Amino acid sequence: MAITGGSRLPAGHDFVFPRGALVMGVEPVLKFQSAEERAKGLPPEQEKDKETGLLVWSVLVIDQAAERKTDAVVTVKISAPHQPVPPEAIPGTDVRPVVFEGLTVTPWIDDKACRGVHGGERHRCRAKLGYSLRASGMKPVVGKPAAKAA
């Protein structure tokens, strides 16, 4: 099978964000730094994409189609040589609608809530499917033309 663990599956922006996405901010993704490295005063390094070698940036996004508040804020990682610039805000607001280009989804199993057998308890697995979003870039939303009256 050609699909392996960690595969980035192509997904269109409208499929992932059917009601749109709003950018809240962009920041670099930093590599994990051990306590020993911090004690030595080593500066943190920015993470690089394993496939492209480009710097990785984290874009905090509000998913306008989220059904629960806890699912509304998601992160989309963008690999680029320079920090991506969010589109301009709608005049008079902080709202920045965005369209992600080259969007991919990587599914993974979130087993943090999965509890093994302890002291005679039965196994309680509350694992769920998680996913990681990546994009090659972002651009402003272009207004859709108004529907013609019949």
Side-chain angles (χ1 to χ4, degrees), residues 36-127:
E36 190 177 288
E37 291 169 328
R38 285 192 304 270
K40 289 179 183 177
L42 296 175
E45 290 182 41
Q46 188 167 353
E47 190 174 299
K48 291 188 178 176
D49 187 292
K50 294 174 187 170
E51 291 184 9
T52 65
L54 296 171
L55 298 173
V56 179
W57 306 89
S58 176
V59 181
L60 199 57
V61 177
I62 295 176
D63 177 1
Q64 296 189 104
E67 294 177 6
R68 300 183 317 181
K69 282 193 275 185
T70 56
D71 297 333
V73 178
V74 297
T75 300
V76 177
K77 291 181 180 177
I78 295 180
S79 299
H82 304 286
Q83 182 169 345
V85 178
E88 291 294 319
I90 294 173
T93 71
D94 290 335
V95 177
R96 297 173 184 270
V98 68
V99 172
F100 289 101
E101 301 173 298
L103 196 60
T104 63
V105 176
T106 303
W108 57 282
I109 297 174
D110 180 358
D111 60 359
K112 289 181 279 196
C114 190
R115 301 238 161 78
V117 179
H118 295 290
E121 291 181 18
R122 67 184 193 117
H123 179 82
R124 285 192 261 162
C125 188
R126 291 190 175 91

Side-chain angles (χ1 to χ4, degrees), residues 7-32:
S7 290
R8 296 178 185 178
L9 307 173
H13 173 87
D14 291 336
F15 177 76
V16 177
F17 299 107
R19 291 190 183 155
L22 306 173
V23 172
M24 295 174 58
V26 180
E27 59 186 38
V29 176
L30 302 177
K31 284 184 181 178
F32 173 78

